[in-house]
Amino acid sequence: MRYKLWSNLLTHALLILLAFLVIAPVLFVINTSLKDVGEFYRNTSGLVQDIRWENYVDAYKMARIGEYFKNSVLLTSCSAVGVGLVAAMAAFPISRRLIASADLLYAIFTLSIFLPGGLIPLYGLMRRTGLLYTYHGFVLMKVAAGVPISIFILSGFLKGVPQELDEAAIVDGCGPIRLFFRIILPILKPAVSTVMMLTALSVWNDFLSPFIFLRDSQRTLPTGLFTFQGMHTWNWPLLMAGTLIVLLPILIVYIFLQRYIIEGTTAGALKG
Amino acid sequence: MSTKMWSRWDTFTLYLLVAPALILWVLFSLYPSLGNFYYCFFRTNGVPGTPVEFVGLQNFAWALSVDLEYTVNALLNGFRFVLMVAIPQNILALLIAVLVGRNLRGKELYRAIFFFPQVVGSMVIAMVWSLLLQPNGPINELFRAIGYPSMAKVWLGDVTWSFFAVSAVQIWVSTGYAMVIYIAGLQGIPDEIYEAAVLDGANSWQRFWRITLPLLMPAVTINTLLSVTGCLGLFDMPYLLTQGGPLHTTETMPLLVFDKFLGGQHGYGSALAVLMFFIVAIIALVQTSILRRMEVEM
């Protein structure tokens, strides 16, 4: 048993060391964000001497975080709700095989998870249809991007739900639309929240598509941070304060939902 | 099934339920994806109203003659990232997964910490690491403090070292994802097999090579596929940390495509995307068929 104790200790020691490599950068950034610019250049790597909380206020104002935050919340929530609804609506007839080409549609959506993205034609399409630089165009694009993997996850979930309930409802004279909204959607709720959460994470964190498909006043937090970085390349404490403000919402959500986020993210990969 | 009770209108509404997903998918996924195969034969800057000229295979010819140096460099960088990111990342992820194991105390917490970089977002990660990799930043300070001042580099501006710096950051980002897949694979291995092996006198080293690894092959297949294709198509970290530089040393195919997109060479950019698609597809197919053959039935 002594051997077991030692091997356990060694395992924990190694894991704690590796975990430190993940956490240390964040701690260092917090330390930097509290420094005065002068202090940063005198003492770049040392512990902060004179705590300057004002960096956060300055970063919030100068990076126009409030504005970008509003855009982020708007675009993220619309995309997440859109994906949840559109994918659930499609997953129902497909996984219950209620329509003629159900298996074909399932195969198409599943395979298209691996479809290579076409940035250039997509940009051309958005431009020609007048969807470029609009919120609704951006949301439609994001919903479309999230739909295939979501249909895959939702169908997988629905296949595990027995059909007796549907049968009973149909016998009672329930039409497809009522069946979907009254029975299927409530049953799908846990899977729909997984799918919405995955979409929300990817839209919230995306820096490239807001940069390409939206104007500056419409863009989200990561893209705002990108612009902010370009303006204050020398003021690291200010940049790090801005970075941490952008990180904070994700951190809070992650602390509470980490189990669901981790399981949801891998759900797609594992069934494939 | 009792759906025979439904009227024709009811059956039609079922198609209405699928329609939004299908229309959105055709417009914003299928069309752009196939669009590359059409755009690649034209010279166009993507601005409506400007001339679009059919040039046949000229874009490909250009990529493989005048710009050959850059095309090959970007492709080779993709393969270098496979060597420097995909392989170390998978070994590290497997190590962590085996250590965290099935029932180590604090398993959930370890898993949450290692997965954390996955949810942070590339922009924030790039900001954090550009600070850490500063010439007078903590990483260089550390090298100086432990007596290796010559290892203090201009990490993101050095022709030799920026590639390794970007690779290291990428490993930091993506190991957690691979780890979670390995952990899920480990949980699928029944305890009885290990118990039987212990009774037969197998030590932990033998148990890993004879039981864990062979039964984990499906997870290895998925992880290798995801990480190799991911490395060949790496964009976020090289773009945000070094913009593909210095001197194209961290430039990958997607960066090259993006560069042509910004530069208004949309036909040429599409041709590069098509080229990359075929190379990645061939590698993914070969690799999957090899790995599938190594999987064993449980």
Side-chain angles (χ1 to χ4, degrees):
Chain A
M1 277 305 103
R2 237 184 121 144
Y3 165 76
K4 179 128 199 205
L5 182 74
W6 277 108
S7 87
N8 239 331
L9 267 175
L10 199 68
T11 306
H12 279 291
L14 197 55
L15 284 171
I16 288 169
L17 178 78
L18 288 167
F20 179 74
L21 291 178
V22 176
I23 297 170
V26 182
L27 297 178
F28 187 80
V29 165
I30 296 174
N31 181 41
T32 304
S33 74
L34 295 169
K35 287 177 183 172
D36 173 76
V37 195
E39 187 190 333
F40 173 76
Y41 283 103
R42 278 193 314 275
N43 163 32
T44 304
S45 301
L47 203 65
V48 58
Q49 308 288 322
D50 242 333
I51 292 186
R52 208 186 115 85
W53 293 105
E54 292 88 342
N55 280 338
Y56 285 85
V57 183
D58 293 348
Y60 188 88
K61 281 189 203 138
M62 288 160 85
R64 312 209 313 275
I65 302 248
E67 215 176 297
Y68 289 121
F69 185 80
K70 202 189 70 199
N71 291 333
S72 273
V73 169
L74 179 75
L75 292 168
T76 302
S77 49
C78 288
S79 309
V81 172
V83 167
L85 191 66
V86 169
M89 274 161 57
F92 161 54
I94 289 177
S95 79
R96 286 290 193 245
R97 294 216 179 101
L98 295 174
I99 51 177
S101 40
D103 289 337
L104 178 71
L105 282 172
Y106 181 76
I108 285 177
F109 281 122
T110 309
L111 285 175
S112 80
I113 296 169
F114 303 104
L115 215 57
L119 167 72
I120 289 170
L122 182 59
Y123 179 82
L125 174 80
M126 299 284 278
R127 198 160 178 157
R128 265 178 281 125
T129 49
L131 291 171
L132 195 65
Y133 308 134
T134 63
Y135 285 128
H136 58 273
F138 189 85
V139 170
L140 286 176
M141 184 182 86
K142 284 294 169 188
V143 172
V147 155
I149 183 87
S150 306
I151 290 184
F152 181 67
I153 294 174
L154 293 175
S155 303
F157 184 88
L158 206 53
K159 269 179 198 139
V161 177
Q163 303 206 5
E164 277 89 43
L165 252 112
D166 317 16
E167 297 275 347
I170 295 170
V171 172
D172 286 345
C174 193
I177 302 281
R178 257 194 39 210
L179 176 63
F180 173 71
F181 282 102
R182 290 286 176 78
I183 294 173
I184 301 292
L185 202 54
I187 291 176
L188 270 178
K189 220 155 116 194
V192 169
S193 25
T194 299
V195 155
M196 284 174 63
M197 190 183 62
L198 294 181
T199 311
L201 260 179
S202 86
V203 176
W204 185 274
N205 282 333
D206 186 5
F207 81 94
L208 193 64
S209 18
F211 184 66
I212 298 171
F213 297 104
L214 295 172
R215 281 184 214 288
D216 183 47
S217 64
Q218 304 168 313
R219 286 178 188 159
T220 55
L221 283 171
T223 321
L225 199 57
F226 188 71
T227 315
F228 186 55
Q229 179 200 29
M231 295 186 303
H232 301 274
T233 35
W234 47 273
N235 196 339
W236 285 98
L238 194 66
L239 286 177
M240 290 305 125
T243 304
L244 284 169
I245 300 176
V246 173
L247 176 61
L248 193 68
I250 286 282
L251 189 65
I252 293 170
V253 170
Y254 189 63
I255 287 171
F256 288 105
L257 297 178
Q258 50 92 7
R259 255 194 69 204
Y260 302 96
I261 293 177
I262 295 173
E263 278 156 19
T265 318
T266 43
L270 290 175
K271 282 176 197 148
Chain B
M1 182 144 171
S2 45
T3 46
K4 289 197 183 89
M5 292 185 61
W6 282 347
S7 65
R8 287 180 78 171
W9 165 251
D10 284 337
T11 317
F12 178 69
T13 54
L14 287 168
Y15 286 93
L16 286 185
L17 286 174
V18 184
L22 198 60
I23 293 168
L24 284 175
W25 175 75
V26 168
L27 275 179
F28 297 99
S29 293
L30 184 65
Y31 166 76
S33 201
L34 298 180
N36 270 333
F37 293 89
Y38 174 78
Y39 269 58
C40 66
F41 299 114
F42 291 86
R43 180 179 295 139
T44 166
N45 60 13
V47 181
T50 56
V52 177
E53 187 192 343
F54 179 78
V55 293
L57 292 171
Q58 203 178 303
N59 287 323
F60 293 97
W62 193 268
L64 299 172
S65 62
V66 181
D67 279 353
L68 183 67
E69 192 193 332
Y70 299 112
T71 317
V72 170
N73 171 63
L75 286 170
L76 281 180
N77 281 338
F79 290 110
R80 288 190 192 110
F81 277 123
V82 171
L83 280 181
M84 289 308 300
V85 178
I87 294 174
Q89 166 200 309
N90 273 290
I91 294 172
L92 191 60
L94 187 57
L95 173 75
I96 297 174
V98 171
L99 286 183
V100 173
R102 299 130 164 270
N103 31 33
L104 186 77
R105 191 182 295 173
K107 176 188 166 183
E108 293 262 311
L109 181 64
Y110 283 126
R111 196 177 70 153
I113 291 173
F114 291 121
F115 192 79
F116 175 64
Q118 277 292 310
V119 297
V120 174
S122 339
M123 189 59 221
V124 168
I125 291 170
M127 294 286 280
V128 170
W129 281 93
S130 356
L131 172 73
L132 297 177
L133 293 164
Q134 278 281 294
N136 55 352
I139 289 174
N140 283 348
E141 286 292 319
L142 195 68
F143 279 123
R144 290 189 195 107
I146 59 173
Y148 291 95
S150 61
M151 272 313 291
K153 311 278 182 196
V154 186
W155 291 105
L156 298 176
D158 187 294
V159 185
T160 315
W161 294 99
S162 56
F163 181 83
F164 296 100
V166 173
S167 303
V169 176
Q170 188 58 46
I171 293 174
W172 187 85
V173 174
S174 41
T175 298
Y177 188 78
M179 169 206 71
V180 171
I181 295 178
Y182 284 129
I183 289 180
L186 282 177
Q187 279 162 343
I189 304 177
D191 285 320
E192 294 85 58
I193 302 187
Y194 287 104
E195 284 157 16
V198 172
L199 284 178
D200 288 344
N203 63 32
S204 49
W205 187 249
Q206 288 168 324
R207 289 200 298 267
F208 175 78
W209 288 103
R210 302 280 174 79
I211 301 173
T212 312
L213 198 60
L215 291 179
L216 214 53
M217 277 317 282
V220 176
T221 307
I222 299 166
N223 266 330
T224 344
L225 183 69
L226 291 176
S227 57
V228 169
T229 52
C231 281
L232 293 173
L234 217 54
F235 181 84
D236 288 15
M237 284 307 134
Y239 179 73
L240 290 170
L241 289 172
T242 56
Q243 285 80 48
L247 292 174
H248 307 279
T249 44
T250 54
E251 191 167 65
T252 56
M253 281 304 263
L255 268 155
L256 217 50
V257 174
F258 190 60
D259 183 55
K260 303 304 164 205
F261 165 73
L262 291 181
Q265 293 174 286
H266 285 198
Y268 186 36
S270 287
L272 290 173
V274 168
L275 213 57
M276 178 185 145
F277 166 74
F278 282 117
I279 290 166
V280 174
I282 291 168
I283 289 170
L285 283 175
V286 170
Q287 178 193 341
T288 318
S289 71
I290 293 174
L291 285 164
R292 284 272 185 228
R293 238 172 277 157
M294 289 165 71
E295 288 175 15
V296 291
E297 291 295 322
M298 188 140 64

